[in-house]
Amino acid sequence: MTLSFFDQFMSPTYLGIPLIALALSLPWVLFPTPSSRWLNNRLLTLQGWFMNRFTQQLLLPLNPGGHKWAVLFTSLMLFLITLNMLGLLPYTFTPTTQLSLNMGLAVPLWLATVIIGMRNQPTIALGHLLPEGTPTLLIPVLIIIETISLFIRPLALGVRLTANLTAGHLLIQLIATAAFVLLPLMPTVAILTATLLFLLTLLEVAVAMIQAYVFVLLLSLYLQENV
């Protein structure tokens, strides 16, 4: 029974073909396409308002040189939110519970910010490895610590997103199983458990959106240090 809880995180296959590519391409089909009309419908208006507000908040701390990343960050934000929200539906697969996928998103984007900093302002980029006013004896130790923390950043990005979504899905499945088992034995307790399950589902909807926002926000902060 314990092993079956983790079956939901296995990448689905059909005739030996992994279907994770289909799960990754599905969100783009659901997005409404822009219209050439002067007046858009409510869904397009809401989507445009959300994208404008998010882009404004994301680019506030960035220099004008980092504004060219706006399209990439906004697209990544919408992509992650849609994947996380679709994963909360029954009988669906959440690709963002796979650490390999999250690391595949985190490492190239983090590496791009580091390369930009090394190319445009190498002195300032290397200066982040040694805080100002450090005692002479602590310089080698601090350089090693700051270098390790720099290389841990993409790992933290990927593990944070994977761990939060995985823990939420496991909690939902455990509480749903408990409510199903308790229903014929203790109906009152089962109703209370189902209420807790409903509240947890609302919390997971919030977590799905917040974790996507945190992923993109941290990438923008890394970019801010190097632009």
Side-chain angles (χ1 to χ4, degrees), residues 4 135 149:
S4 64
S149 67

Side-chain angles (χ1 to χ4, degrees), residues 168-180:
H169 283 66
L170 281 177
L171 275 175
I172 287 177
Q173 187 168 3
L174 284 170
I175 296 178
T177 304
F180 181 75

Side-chain angles (χ1 to χ4, degrees), residues 30-49:
L30 300 178
F31 293 150
T33 56
S35 173
S36 58
R37 299 176 180 177
W38 285 9
L39 294 177
N40 294 323
N41 55 29
R42 293 182 178 89
L43 184 58
L44 280 175
T45 304
L46 180 63
Q47 181 185 7
W49 175 85

Side-chain angles (χ1 to χ4, degrees), residues 70-83:
V71 176
L72 176 61
F73 282 159
T74 306
S75 302
L76 181 61
M77 170 77 173
L78 288 174
F79 183 60
L80 290 177
I81 283 182
T82 311
L83 284 180

Side-chain angles (χ1 to χ4, degrees), residues 59-71 223 227:
L59 299 183
L60 276 179
L62 289 179
N63 296 329
H67 290 181
K68 65 184 69 174
W69 288 62
V71 176
L223 179 65
V227 173

Side-chain angles (χ1 to χ4, degrees), residues 8-12 18-28 79-89 91-105 158 161-163 165-166 169:
Q8 59 178 320
F9 304 117
M10 297 175 59
S11 181
L19 299 180
I20 188 171
L22 179 62
L24 290 175
S25 60
L26 183 60
W28 302 114
F79 183 60
L80 290 177
I81 283 182
T82 311
L83 284 180
N84 296 345
M85 298 290 285
L86 287 176
L88 294 174
L89 297 176
Y91 303 105
T92 56
F93 171 67
T94 313
T96 44
T97 56
Q98 306 294 312
L99 183 60
S100 57
L101 173 67
N102 296 332
M103 292 300 294
L105 293 173
L161 183 58
T162 304
L165 295 179
T166 303
H169 283 66

Side-chain angles (χ1 to χ4, degrees), residues 110-131 142-143 146-147 149-151 153 221-227:
W110 164 82
L111 188 60
T113 62
V114 174
I115 292 176
I116 286 176
M118 291 295 183
R119 186 188 65 179
N120 295 340
Q121 43 186 16
T123 305
I124 299 178
L126 293 175
H128 291 303
L129 301 178
L130 185 63
L142 279 180
I143 290 178
E146 291 295 331
T147 305
S149 67
L150 178 66
F151 283 97
R153 285 179 174 182
L221 294 178
Y222 299 157
L223 179 65
Q224 179 186 357
E225 295 180 358
N226 295 285
V227 173

